[in-house]
Amino acid sequence: MTRGDLGEMNLFGEPVAVTSPRRSGSRRSVDSGETVVRGPRRWKRLEDFVVGACNRVAHAAAMSVVEAPDEAVTPLVFHGPVGVGKTHLLEGIYAGLKRDSQQRPCYVTAEEFTTRFVSATHQGRMSAFRRQFREATALLFDDLHFLASRKATQIEFLHTLDSLVSEGRPVVVTLDCHPRLADELMPELVDRLLGGAVWGLLPPDAETRLAILRHKAAGASPPIPDLVLRTLANCLRGNVRELEGAVHSLRHYAKVTGRPVDLILAREALGELIRHAVRVVTLAEVDAAVCTVLRLSSGTLQSKSRAWAVTHPRMIAVYLCRKHTSATYGEIARHFGAKTHSTAVAAEKKVRQWLERDASLSVGSQVWNVRDLIERIERQLHH
């Protein structure tokens, strides 16, 4: 095989020979029983993942899969909002496992899995489709939540998951929310996911933001002074992509203007981004905003009352705490006097259901549309 033949990769990241195109000009599908082709790709590494309080446990779990795949807890679930590093961890596990010649990890997105499943179904090639995943030494599945409305595909993934788990092979998936909140996933699938280990990733805290900015700014030109990076870490509270974009924008602006990077230039280049940065919100502030809008006494949401006039506002508060703060389910549960984090998980799920149904609630003598109530509390929160 010549060097030019090494450009395309199969599902396991192994080079495959380039075949002559068919008359239609398209490649033959993996579902036809052949190896899927994949263009060259630079996989992110766990060594380049910036670790902080917001992601330390998830990173440690990812490292454990690479270091001892036969002993890894499976399935392993990473969940969190966009841009917090879920895919980075998944790619890092893949790259780490590939260093061992005995390992044949398979990395696939939900979209790829669905496309191949549909094609294999139509072509009668399900045996070949199943082999490619079930013969893998590890399955790394990105964006599982995209299977939400595809019951047949969920069932197929469930069988694949069961097959791999029964043989002790690692299965790692990413979700945009905790499995308990993924209402459109099959209960059987959610149950399997909860049988493994579930770790959340949060938007980076100030210390982690600074570490990320330093990492992204290292080694390139023009240099960015640490004072500027510290200022950005305090001002910007978005995800990793926003921080990376700020570094790129700053460097581009400096090159275009021909000026060195300093605080003045940073404010010019990133003024709009900084102005729209979301301020840090605390659990106490959410609590106070809910009580203010609903005219409840301070401390009401921490009471042991089971009356709807208290429990429903408390559920709304939990939902807003998850939306506007970086607090974990456990921290939120403790703030509102619950013993376990599952209480907060259930409360958030309930409010999401209310929003989906456009429901209304009676609080005291007033009936509120849930969506309108949340918007009013959010205005109070950011007043």
Side-chain angles (χ1 to χ4, degrees), residues 47-179:
E47 294 89 336
D48 298 325
F49 190 86
V50 179
V51 181
C54 55
N55 56 34
R56 182 169 286 109
V57 177
H59 177 263
M63 290 293 296
S64 70
V65 177
V66 174
E67 293 168 356
D70 293 339
E71 301 173 12
V73 176
T74 186
L76 174 61
V77 180
F78 297 132
H79 70 90
V82 297
V84 293
K86 303 185 299 297
T87 299
H88 189 149
L89 290 181
L90 209 61
E91 290 192 11
I93 293 172
Y94 176 86
L97 291 174
K98 285 294 293 180
R99 293 171 191 158
D100 183 348
S101 60
Q102 302 300 312
Q103 293 289 329
R104 296 187 75 225
C106 172
Y107 179 101
V108 67
T109 66
E111 181 181 8
E112 290 171 336
F113 186 86
T114 301
T115 300
R116 291 171 184 145
F117 172 68
V118 172
S119 178
T121 301
H122 291 164
Q123 296 176 16
R125 300 286 186 175
M126 287 304 299
S127 294
F129 170 82
R130 287 167 179 153
R131 275 200 309 274
Q132 63 181 317
F133 299 108
R134 300 183 192 187
E135 292 179 359
T137 56
L139 176 60
L140 312 172
F141 199 101
D142 203 10
D143 293 331
L144 180 63
H145 47 277
F146 283 127
L147 300 186
S149 59
R150 309 175 190 276
K151 186 172 181 179
T153 312
Q154 285 188 52
I155 293 173
E156 182 60 35
F157 175 74
L158 178 62
H159 293 322
T160 299
L161 175 64
D162 285 343
S163 175
L164 292 170
V165 170
S166 67
E167 297 180 8
R169 301 184 189 184
V171 177
V172 187
V173 305
T174 67
L175 277 166
D176 64 350
C177 64
H178 192 282

Side-chain angles (χ1 to χ4, degrees), residues 289 293 372-383:
V293 171
D372 292 342
L373 174 59
I374 287 175
E375 289 178 357
R376 181 169 297 198
I377 294 171
E378 287 176 328
R379 287 198 297 273
Q380 175 67 31
L381 189 61
H382 297 292
H383 179 68

